[in-house]
Amino acid sequence: MAVTQQLARVPAEYLAACRKSADESPDGDHHWDPPSSDCLDLDWAPALLAGACRLAQLDDVHLDALRWASEGDTEVDLGFLNAYPHAIGPFGPPPTLLSPEAVARVSALLGEIDIQAIVATLPADRHHAGSLFGRGPEFIPDGLAEYLLRHFDALRKFYGEAARRGLLIVLWWD
């Protein structure tokens, strides 16, 4: 199983209730189980999206928004989630979150990014495009452009819905 970027959009109260449940439950059950529609697996897209945006010379404000969208801005202790029955088993950097206010800001900035124009700057040749990211074209079966478009669109929609509902976003690698 590959380690991939995970996001969940939840109310702050839900996160607090899960932490409280884990503390009070004899077996540490945290009851963390956001609906699948409020979870997003970004696969390995964050680094590829950032790389493509840098190659296209996207401005720093929007690059920062993309970074916050995939890295968060506040470290959060999710150790209580490493318990049965829904252990998330984070790997890599510490889990983070974005407050509802930060989510709204990131959502607005993601909405300003012209991902089609960014993808258009990539070389048409799959081998050349893959080499820009240190890999061959086989690492993304449906092609780099399609992969980036699909994942950016999912990220933008995910943040848009979280902003609309006033939710925070929790991020981790699992």
Side-chain angles (χ1 to χ4, degrees), residues 51-164:
C53 288
R54 279 192 299 277
L55 285 171
Q57 299 181 345
L58 185 66
D59 64 272
D60 288 342
V61 170
H62 291 91
L63 280 173
D64 284 344
L66 186 60
R67 181 180 50 78
W68 291 324
S70 62
E71 294 180 12
D73 70 353
T74 304
E75 199 170 303
V76 61
D77 178 9
L78 296 182
F80 71 94
L81 293 178
N82 286 332
Y84 173 84
H86 301 290
I88 65 166
F91 292 89
T96 58
L97 61 78
L98 282 172
S99 69
E101 298 78 20
V103 167
R105 173 86 173 122
V106 167
S107 176
L109 289 167
L110 290 177
E112 297 171 0
I113 296 174
D114 184 352
I115 193 65
Q116 293 285 345
I118 289 166
V119 168
T121 67
L122 295 173
D125 178 74
R126 287 182 60 169
H127 293 278
H128 186 208
S131 72
L132 292 174
F133 296 95
R135 299 191 168 173
E138 66 283 349
F139 82 104
I140 299 177
D142 58 351
L144 182 58
E146 293 81 5
Y147 181 86
L148 293 174
L149 290 169
R150 184 175 68 252
H151 284 82
F152 184 81
D153 186 53
L155 183 67
R156 183 179 4 223
K157 287 178 180 175
F158 192 80
Y159 268 86
E161 180 64 13
R164 186 187 70 73

